[in-house]
Amino acid sequence: MRNRKGRSPELKVGLKYCGGCRAGYHRVAAVERIRERLGDKIEFVSSDCVDCDFVLVVTGCATACVDTASFKGRPIRYIKSEDDVERFITEATGN
Amino acid sequence: MSKLMNAKEYEESLRKLNLQVYMFGRKVANPVDDPIIRPSMNAVAMTYELAHRPEYEDLMTTTSHLTGKKINRFCHIHQSTTDLLKKSKMGRLLGFKTGCCFQRCVGMDAMNALSIVTYNIDKKYGTRYYTRFIEYLKYVQENDFVCDGAMTDPKGDRSLAPHQQKDPDLFVHVVEERKDGIVVSGAKAHQTGAVNSHEIIIMPTITMRAEDKDYAVAFALPSDAPGITYIMGRQSCDTRKIEGMTIDRGNMHYGGHEALVVLDKVFVPWDRVFMYKEYDFTTQLVESFAAYHRQSYACKVGVGDVLIGATQVVAEYNGADRASHVKDKIVEMNHLNETLYCGCIACASEGHREPSGTYLVDVLLANIHKHNVTRFPYQIARLAQDIAGGLMVTLPSAADLASPEVGRWVEKYFKGKSDIPTEHRMRILRLIENLTLGTAAVGYLTESMHGAGSPQAQRIMISRLVNMEGKKTTAKELCGIEKGDHLS
């Protein structure tokens, strides 16, 4: 799998949102920020994708009521707040 | 593969219906494109649109327990307390996205109630209603239909039972039994979203006795079945939608509607009949439907979110947002709104499994929630009007703002903060007007009062469901009137 620039991304990530009933931040904008900041390092794919490195579950609040049953056995990482977004980017970029 | 319609497909599906709709004394040739009805169609369409958006699908869709296919949650029978919780959350989300009633919850509530009661009737009488209902449910799920759950009869003289009414049609009843089905007459009043529905599910509105058995019927009809006529209800400020300018509508795109649904000798085939004269199950059907529908008032929390947001914006536009009393009133609005949310979450969280496998909300807590809804939106609306100021109801029209003669005066004298366009201030004030005394107040206020049962209906249920003897006993034990283990 190659990204738009023809290079293989370092991270292939399945993306899953919660339902967003009372999100404390803009979840879609947060994912866009990750995409912009990580550029070629990351590629978001459908959460159904079985060969991704992990599933990134983006929830609007700490309750995280999203249904993750279909991801059983696969690594899952959560983003539940703006702080988590920055933490995720920092870890992915190493700085 | 089940059809999971998107908003456009839903709109097109409505165009294929041959509905007999009347408004302002005239037949509406094309309800979908009628400017007064269309905002309500847009609101229902949101239930389809969000089902296709990854950031909302976890609430808006689920897996059918019948077919294993992905379906819209509005066609689902709750299989767990998680399902019940997601229903409440979905209601808040859609209220927030539309700022009005999105009309689709009532059909979901009717289907869930019928999934419980048809099963129980069969257990007692050896009938086959549950099998019929499940086949019907598959049909609804397969086509992703909107169902109008229709319970409220006109009721005539409230002091008389259905069979005692001078006009027998004041409650929906059987007028003829045939080999292939039944013929029914009567009407259902206040039917939210009726004209935006593919199907109508009719249920009895009160507990029936043996003398009323002809009125103890539940069935489903295509919304354009021969003999059905819709007469649209008026809403405050409804004709603003045909004035040609958008500002005075308040909510640019969305709204709700109610209609009187008249059934004039309508034929119902047996495979669509889910209760036929089993009057002893009418209470169970009414109460389980009411419990689900009282939970559904989660939607008002989402509409409240919009009103609170609008109120904060107008406070900022007025330059009043830093005043301590304004801040405090905004906190009060949020407190009331989130208290409402607590109720719809609690009744879902405390839900239980019925013999049919369907999960039902905690009935006491659902009634508590709805009872709060009869009060708090009015208090929130009062605070919104307090902060918005009298201009909300004295503001000139959008046409005056656009007028070459007086527009400059409107622009000049209705300006708040200098960096905010007067038009923006007018728009946010009109939205608050819309929600608190315009078309959306039908849903946010009066529907909050009377929809899913008026306040007294909840008080009767609360009185019946609380464990008063347990409370008395513990009180007596704690103060020494009675001996016993108050922890048991």
Side-chain angles (χ1 to χ4, degrees):
Chain A
M1 182 65 70
R2 293 178 183 278
N3 58 29
R4 278 174 293 185
K5 293 181 180 173
R7 292 193 290 268
S8 297
E10 293 173 18
L11 288 173
K12 186 175 174 183
V13 176
L15 180 61
K16 175 71 178 176
Y17 291 100
C18 75
C21 64
R22 52 171 189 156
Y25 64 103
H26 197 308
R27 295 164 303 142
V28 177
V31 170
E32 279 309 306
R33 199 159 76 244
I34 292 170
R35 206 191 303 266
E36 281 173 19
R37 298 263 296 273
L38 296 186
D40 295 342
K41 289 176 184 287
I42 196 164
E43 180 185 15
F44 286 113
V45 295
S46 164
S47 58
D48 299 334
C49 180
V50 291
D51 66 341
C52 56
D53 294 294
F54 56 87
V55 178
L56 184 66
V57 177
V58 182
T59 71
C61 70
T63 306
C65 66
V66 60
D67 183 1
T68 58
S70 61
F71 309 142
K72 196 174 178 185
R74 299 162 62 189
I76 300 176
R77 292 196 56 181
Y78 284 88
I79 286 181
K80 301 179 182 178
S81 66
E82 293 277 10
D83 288 348
D84 287 350
V85 175
E86 289 307 314
R87 205 170 293 126
F88 181 84
I89 292 170
T90 302
E91 286 175 17
T93 56
N95 55 44
Chain B
M1 179 70 184
S2 291
K3 191 194 295 182
L4 198 59
M5 281 196 279
N6 61 31
K8 192 70 190 162
E9 289 166 336
Y10 163 64
E11 181 180 332
E12 292 310 311
S13 72
L14 290 183
R15 291 185 193 284
K16 293 173 186 164
L17 300 175
N18 181 28
L19 301 179
Q20 308 302 308
V21 181
Y22 286 80
M23 186 166 61
F24 299 127
R26 289 190 298 273
K27 187 167 180 196
V28 181
N30 177 5
V32 173
D33 295 316
D34 184 277
I36 289 185
I37 300 174
R38 189 170 175 89
S40 69
M41 193 282 294
N42 290 340
V44 183
M46 185 67 86
T47 71
Y48 288 94
E49 180 64 27
L50 295 193
H52 289 270
R53 299 262 293 268
E55 65 269 34
Y56 301 115
E57 67 171 355
D58 192 69
L59 287 182
M60 297 301 306
T61 66
T62 188
T63 302
S64 167
H65 72 293
L66 299 174
T67 64
K69 295 173 182 173
K70 185 177 182 178
I71 56 170
N72 193 298
R73 188 174 296 281
F74 282 103
C75 299
H76 186 49
I77 298 299
H78 313 298
Q79 299 298 300
S80 63
T81 53
T82 299
D83 277 345
L84 291 170
L85 281 164
K86 289 196 172 183
K87 177 199 165 191
S88 288
K89 294 178 179 189
M90 176 174 70
R92 182 174 190 168
L93 172 69
L94 285 162
F96 185 52
K97 287 290 182 186
T98 59
C100 67
C101 170
F102 45 83
Q103 308 144 58
R104 204 176 172 185
C105 61
V106 69
M108 170 176 54
D109 296 337
M111 289 189 288
N112 275 273
L114 282 168
S115 77
I116 293 170
V117 177
T118 53
Y119 184 91
N120 292 344
I121 298 174
D122 289 357
K123 283 290 166 199
K124 181 171 180 182
Y125 291 116
T127 45
R128 291 181 51 78
Y129 293 124
Y130 185 68
T131 308
R132 279 183 195 170
F133 172 73
I134 291 300
E135 287 306 308
Y136 175 73
L137 177 64
K138 284 181 191 169
Y139 170 69
V140 169
Q141 291 184 346
E142 197 71 28
N143 290 283
D144 199 7
F145 279 155
V146 176
C147 299
D148 168 25
M151 179 164 274
T152 308
D153 292 278
K155 295 199 281 281
D157 183 341
R158 270 61 172 172
S159 69
L160 300 177
H163 74 280
Q164 295 171 322
Q165 299 285 334
K166 191 172 179 184
D167 182 345
D169 293 341
L170 291 171
F171 288 79
V172 170
H173 63 119
V174 182
V175 294
E176 184 184 350
E177 181 180 324
R178 295 182 188 169
K179 199 171 179 181
D180 52 351
I182 57 175
V183 179
V184 297
S185 282
K188 292 291 182 181
H190 324 303
Q191 288 310 299
T192 299
V195 172
N196 294 325
S197 301
H198 304 95
E199 290 276 322
I200 306 178
I201 300 171
I202 305 282
M203 300 164 285
T205 194
I206 54 171
T207 294
M208 304 289 178
R209 313 281 177 214
E211 302 81 15
D212 298 317
K213 63 180 189 303
D214 285 346
Y215 297 83
V217 282
F219 53 88
L221 289 164
S223 55
D224 59 353
I228 303 180
T229 303
Y230 302 86
I231 306 169
M232 299 295 292
R234 282 216 73 165
Q235 295 180 334
S236 170
C237 309
D238 50 9
T239 51
R240 289 191 189 185
K241 291 181 244 181
I242 55 176
E243 288 175 356
M245 303 181 91
T246 61
I247 294 175
D248 291 347
R249 292 182 200 169
N251 187 327
M252 296 255 296
H253 306 292
Y254 305 107
H257 81 240
E258 275 76 29
L260 176 71
V261 181
V262 178
L263 308 175
D264 184 22
K265 299 185 184 66
V266 180
F267 174 71
V268 189
W270 284 118
D271 63 355
R272 281 171 165 265
V273 177
F274 309 128
M275 172 187 280
Y276 187 64
K277 302 189 179 183
E278 292 85 4
Y279 62 89
D280 48 332
F281 282 90
T282 51
T283 302
Q284 191 178 101
L285 182 54
V286 170
E287 290 185 358
S288 53
F289 170 77
Y292 280 127
H293 205 41
R294 288 168 191 174
Q295 173 203 15
S296 284
Y297 278 67
C299 62
K300 305 308 178 204
V301 184
V303 180
D305 287 329
V306 175
L307 182 54
I308 293 167
T311 306
Q312 178 67 36
V313 169
V314 84
E316 292 171 9
Y317 285 3
N318 289 347
D321 56 304
R322 299 177 77 172
S324 61
H325 73 96
V326 170
K327 287 182 185 173
D328 190 55
K329 285 165 184 164
I330 297 279
V331 168
E332 177 69 6
M333 293 169 82
N334 278 302
H335 169 73
L336 291 165
N337 206 44
E338 299 300 337
T339 303
L340 290 181
Y341 191 55
C342 294
C344 65
I345 289 296
C347 70
S349 177
E350 294 289 289
H352 66 274
R353 188 179 189 277
E354 288 284 314
S356 68
T358 303
Y359 272 68
L360 177 63
V361 289
D362 182 287
V363 177
L364 172 60
L365 296 184
N367 278 277
I368 297 291
H369 167 59
K370 174 62 203 348
H371 203 54
N372 286 338
V373 174
T374 68
R375 298 174 176 177
F376 295 177
Y378 286 89
Q379 296 178 34
I380 294 168
R382 177 183 174 277
L383 290 165
Q385 292 193 354
D386 179 353
I387 293 171
L391 188 56
M392 191 192 89
V393 291
T394 63
L395 195 61
S397 69
D400 291 315
L401 179 66
S403 162
E405 287 84 22
V406 297
R408 62 197 169 101
W409 300 123
V410 175
E411 175 75 38
K412 175 185 172 74
Y413 288 113
F414 293 121
K415 198 160 192 67
K417 293 197 86 167
S418 60
D419 59 337
I420 302 297
T422 300
E423 182 188 323
H424 290 192
R425 191 164 175 238
M426 291 175 73
R427 283 187 181 278
I428 204 71
L429 285 165
R430 288 295 182 211
L431 178 59
I432 295 170
E433 180 196 33
N434 169 263
L435 286 161
T436 62
L437 51 80
T439 55
V442 173
Y444 188 57
L445 297 181
T446 314
E447 184 184 290
S448 289
M449 177 71 82
H450 293 294
S454 304
Q456 191 59 23
Q458 291 112 51
R459 296 182 81 83
I460 290 167
M461 291 301 292
I462 292 165
S463 169
R464 197 193 304 167
L465 292 170
V466 293
N467 179 6
M468 189 53 69
E469 286 306 310
K471 293 174 199 286
K472 282 165 54 183
T473 301
T474 297
K476 288 176 181 174
E477 287 174 359
L478 286 173
C479 71
I481 295 172
E482 287 183 5
K483 286 187 178 173
D485 179 5
H486 73 275
L487 295 177
S488 65

